[in-house]
Amino acid sequence: MYLSEKVTSIIRRAISNLNQIIDTDIEIEVPRIKDFGDFSTNVAMKLAKKLHQPPMDIARSIVEELQQAKPIILKAEAVKPGFVNLWISPNEITNVIHQILSEAEEYGRVNVGNGKRVLVEFVSANPTGPLHIGHCRNAVVGDSIARILKFAGFNVEREYYFNDAGAQMQNLGKSLRARYLQLLGKDEPIPEDGYYGEYLVDIARALVAEKKDSLLHSNDIDFFTAFATKHILDSIKTDLADLKVEFDHWVSESWFHRQGKVDEVIDELKRRNMAYEKDGALWLKTTQFGDEKDRVLVKSNGEKTYLAPDIAYHKNKYERHYDQLINVFGGDHHGYIPRLKAAIQALGYDPQKLRCLVIQMVTLKKGEETMRFSKRKGGFITIREMLDELGSDVVRFFFLMRTIDSQLVFDWELAKDTSIDNPVYYVQYAYARSCSLFKKAQEEKINLNLSGISQANVNLLTLPEEQSIIKHLALFPDVVRRAAEVLEPQFITAYLRVLTSAFHNYFTAGTKNPEYRIVLPDNPELTYARLALVRALQIVIRNAMSLISVSTPEKM
RNA sequence: GCGCCCGUAGCUCAAUUGGAUAGAGCGCCGGACUUCGAAUCCGUAGGUUGCAGGUUCGAGUCCUGCCGGGCGCGCCA
């Protein structure tokens, strides 16, 4: 049991001893101000409303009860509006280190998920071109959310849905055919609403290499489409893999068409009296479920809209019986959510099961120039370029530093500059620095066998700097829990910055005061204790960084 | 015009989902390396949280109305 859980349960027991019904979550926090104790809780104020008693009275009774928790709780105080401040036995705090050392990469795991099955769908960009910076935030955030949920006890699957059907695919095939013919010396224009990107020239080259000029008179657009789609999907998969973004399932729209799933779901909607004909088209009654207007499922020319197969897809998700579905949308698609949720209700499914996250837009700032990336407009920086010039650590950390619902200005110069506003190096440097301490210890001939550290007397860690680090380490499971609840990876990056800051602070103290040094050849006992602390720190940094898939180099 | 998101220090952003004295980084200024890595640390300055009301023990956070920015509002995907 984690320290924060221990404290929470002690408070819970105290309240139930007062014969109060607890229907409030007990939240504890580490106060900013030292005089407010190691932990504090606002539970008395929360209960005040329900019990119709003054918060301070409740706080005082809780403090009274907490006298019985003496071994762990040193002191409890009721204060001003109704906070209960707690001072914890130093041994309880330092014991966190041994807990971390023994749990190692498992430390920080929490069980908010309780094995529930969650499907996270993200990126889901169409295979009509390479992924660009606009998709990048979605990819990095979605992937990190999946990692966090997994660590928080959910059974997570990640899915990428790609639209490889419809008119746009025909345009892609036609565009490739034009590029192919151009390479063979023909004067063939790219179709009006085709794809003009250079990447199709590269794919056309591959096609020439493979088929020579045998397709010179071919009108088999489907073949060109398939060839382009395969190449683009492959490059998308490579880009994502290099960005350390993983998927369990790749789901294709055309599969639903081929299997008749789209027609099936349309029939079902008709049967449920949720669809009607008007102006030669088939409409879905999404207004019945709060949408602004009804939406077309089948156009008057017989083609299906984007929505129709997507409904079939989501029906399929529901049929796979996940406990929760998460969709990660780009900011320019938020208007789509009400109609998707409406469609789900039209099929009789529970819309609560589907949680839609909206990741706000990314603007690229390069020097004085700024460019926006709504999906439709051209001119973009690709993920490939970002990876080649910045590396995945920088790209990932940068996109995870902000809350998902605030717009993000990606400052290219700043990202390229290897320090300044880019704290990935700050965090990594702390880790590398901590590693050097073990090298130093080795040079000083201090025996670093594991038992020396694991038997360390951590009660020797009484410096305020040490206590501060340990308290932050103790907080990690809470950070994971909260990040999983609100689905905000930003919690992890923010935590890492605070944690490593505490370490840098501690380390620097040793450069000023020799007694504060971590490696002390004349005092092996204290050295072991301090190295145990550093080891615990390393574990937590690694565990946290793995949640956002950023590396922890030992040297930099 | 309607809907969603945002508005916090000069800049980029936090604020534990209603809690204590609104915090960091960058930038400015001033300090700290003969000693575990100075990609670091310490300090100073910087605020009517866009504006105006409201809800309550308590509001940056919630409700209403304005102002400003972004994104949507298709028989596109």
Side-chain angles (χ1 to χ4, degrees):
Chain A
M1 194 189 275
Y2 296 124
L3 180 56
S4 60
E5 294 170 333
K6 270 190 210 173
V7 174
T8 307
S9 72
I10 286 170
I11 296 167
R12 181 171 290 116
R13 203 181 318 137
I15 293 172
S16 66
N17 285 350
L18 294 169
N19 290 321
Q20 310 287 20
I21 305 141
I22 325 158
D23 51 357
T24 318
D25 275 346
I26 294 173
E27 293 168 28
I28 60 168
E29 60 176 355
V30 176
R32 265 196 339 278
I33 295 164
K34 277 184 188 144
D35 295 345
F36 293 163
D38 298 313
F39 292 101
S40 83
T41 179
N42 60 0
V43 71
M45 291 181 285
K46 287 249 159 84
L47 288 172
K49 263 177 199 152
K50 296 177 181 174
L51 302 177
H52 302 102
Q53 290 173 34
M56 271 306 280
D57 290 358
I58 300 172
R60 285 199 195 93
S61 336
I62 291 172
V63 165
E64 200 66 20
E65 278 301 317
L66 286 173
Q67 300 303 321
Q68 296 171 13
K70 263 297 192 245
I72 294 177
I73 309 285
L74 275 188
K75 188 173 76 163
E77 251 178 33
V79 111
K80 280 190 286 181
F83 287 98
V84 176
N85 296 340
L86 305 169
W87 282 259
I88 309 293
S89 149
N91 291 3
E92 282 297 327
I93 293 174
T94 47
N95 277 341
V96 169
I97 290 174
H98 285 308
Q99 184 178 19
I100 295 170
L101 293 178
S102 69
E103 294 187 11
E105 61 271 6
E106 297 297 306
Y107 176 72
R109 246 182 220 290
V110 288
N111 193 23
V112 293
N114 201 19
K116 282 191 191 132
R117 294 178 65 231
V118 184
L119 181 72
V120 185
E121 185 210 329
F122 60 111
V123 188
S124 293
N126 297 344
T128 53
L131 297 179
H132 57 67
I133 188 170
H135 304 117
C136 194
R137 188 179 189 187
N138 189 303
V140 168
V141 168
D143 178 74
S144 299
I145 283 174
R147 286 172 199 271
I148 291 164
L149 287 173
K150 190 175 175 197
F151 203 55
F154 288 90
N155 191 342
V156 182
E157 292 172 40
R158 306 116 167 278
E159 197 154 282
Y160 188 122
Y161 172 70
F162 55 96
N163 301 101
D164 57 344
Q168 51 158 358
M169 284 293 119
Q170 293 297 302
N171 289 336
L172 181 68
K174 287 175 192 165
S175 303
L176 175 62
R177 181 168 170 272
R179 289 299 194 188
Y180 170 79
L181 293 175
Q182 284 170 10
L183 283 181
L184 295 177
K186 297 277 181 186
D187 187 21
E188 181 74 21
I190 294 169
E192 183 82 11
D193 40 7
Y195 295 88
Y196 289 79
E198 280 295 306
Y199 57 91
L200 274 184
V201 178
D202 296 334
I203 295 171
R205 273 196 203 98
L207 186 55
V208 171
E210 196 175 310
K211 296 284 183 182
K212 311 298 181 213
D213 60 356
S214 65
L215 299 172
L216 202 51
H217 303 292
S218 170
N219 270 320
D220 186 358
I221 298 301
D222 285 347
F223 173 82
F224 287 99
T225 299
F227 192 87
T229 305
K230 186 192 177 306
H231 273 255
I232 291 171
L233 261 182
D234 282 351
S235 78
I236 285 175
K237 287 180 182 179
T238 307
D239 289 352
L240 289 171
D242 290 349
L243 194 60
K244 301 188 167 64
V245 173
E246 294 165 3
F247 287 94
D248 300 301
H249 313 297
W250 294 79
V251 178
S252 111
E253 177 194 344
S254 62
W255 183 87
F256 290 97
H257 291 289
R258 284 199 305 274
Q259 298 293 312
K261 298 289 182 190
V262 184
D263 292 329
E264 236 172 65
V265 84
I266 288 172
D267 286 344
E268 183 176 347
L269 287 166
K270 282 183 191 162
R271 236 183 301 120
R272 288 175 167 269
N273 195 26
M274 288 295 168
Y276 62 92
E277 305 243 2
K278 193 182 90 180
D279 303 332
L282 185 71
W283 297 72
L284 181 64
K285 297 179 182 173
T286 54
T287 46
Q288 281 198 7
F289 306 97
D291 196 11
E292 291 171 345
K293 49 177 289 194
D294 288 344
R295 308 291 172 175
V296 172
L297 290 170
V298 183
K299 305 182 211 171
S300 52
N301 67 5
E303 283 176 17
K304 280 126 188 160
T305 61
Y306 174 84
L307 180 61
D310 205 23
I311 296 173
Y313 171 42
H314 279 83
K315 177 178 160 66
N316 171 270
K317 284 188 184 176
Y318 275 86
E319 284 169 347
R320 283 186 272 161
H321 294 106
Y322 293 99
D323 296 297
Q324 201 184 355
L325 302 171
I326 296 175
N327 283 14
V328 183
F329 286 100
D332 52 347
H333 284 71
H334 70 267
Y336 182 73
I337 296 170
R339 90 190 63 158
L340 179 61
K341 289 219 167 199
I344 283 163
Q345 291 173 81
L347 287 171
Y349 292 117
D350 176 12
Q352 301 281 345
K353 236 182 196 180
L354 176 65
R355 194 163 165 188
C356 292
L357 305 182
V358 177
I359 315 267
Q360 286 304 325
M361 302 263 86
V362 176
T363 309
L364 176 70
K365 178 163 176 280
K366 236 180 171 173
E368 292 307 303
E369 197 185 353
T370 61
M371 310 155 84
R372 172 142 293 112
F373 295 93
S374 82
K375 225 163 156 186
R376 308 285 135 60
K377 293 154 197 162
F380 47 70
I381 285 204
T382 60
I383 287 184
R384 175 50 48 196
E385 289 171 280
M386 300 181 78
L387 285 170
D388 290 347
E389 293 203 42
L390 304 172
S392 79
D393 284 347
V394 173
V395 171
R396 291 193 63 117
F397 207 94
F398 212 104
F399 278 123
L400 296 173
M401 272 163 45
R402 288 153 173 88
T403 53
I404 60 173
D405 54 4
S406 80
Q407 286 160 216
L408 187 153
V409 177
F410 194 101
D411 189 326
W412 188 259
E413 312 303 330
L414 222 46
K416 283 214 76 158
D417 185 6
T418 57
S419 59
I420 316 294
D421 228 3
N422 198 336
V424 63
Y425 297 113
Y426 183 91
V427 175
Q428 288 181 327
Y429 179 59
Y431 187 81
R433 227 181 184 186
S434 74
C435 290
S436 73
L437 288 166
F438 288 90
K439 283 175 215 137
K440 174 76 181 172
Q442 220 151 24
E443 286 163 18
E444 299 288 349
K445 304 277 190 285
I446 291 169
N447 182 4
L448 283 178
N449 65 55
L450 202 64
S451 67
I453 288 172
S454 65
Q455 312 277 309
N457 179 11
V458 289
N459 293 335
L460 298 173
L461 301 171
T462 54
L463 296 176
E465 287 84 355
E466 292 164 342
Q467 292 282 310
S468 167
I469 293 174
I470 299 167
K471 269 186 258 177
H472 283 299
L473 294 175
L475 222 55
F476 180 56
D478 272 7
V479 172
V480 174
R481 181 179 51 76
R482 274 197 48 80
E485 282 167 358
V486 300
L487 302 179
E488 272 288 3
Q490 187 264 343
F491 275 46
I492 305 296
T493 52
Y495 170 74
L496 278 165
R497 295 167 78 175
V498 173
L499 175 67
T500 50
S501 168
F503 172 69
H504 280 309
N505 198 314
Y506 178 44
F507 187 97
T508 309
T511 67
K512 291 175 179 154
N513 184 347
E515 290 174 18
Y516 278 37
R517 302 185 90 198
I518 290 155
V519 179
L520 299 162
D522 296 336
N523 192 344
E525 208 194 348
L526 186 53
T527 300
Y528 282 134
R530 290 181 173 174
L531 285 178
L533 168 61
V534 176
R535 200 53 108 193
L537 171 89
Q538 291 180 329
I539 288 168
V540 174
I541 292 178
R542 278 202 305 267
N543 292 1
M545 291 284 257
S546 78
L547 292 178
I548 55 173
S549 221
V550 175
S551 70
T552 46
E554 296 184 6
K555 271 187 285 191
M556 20 188 328

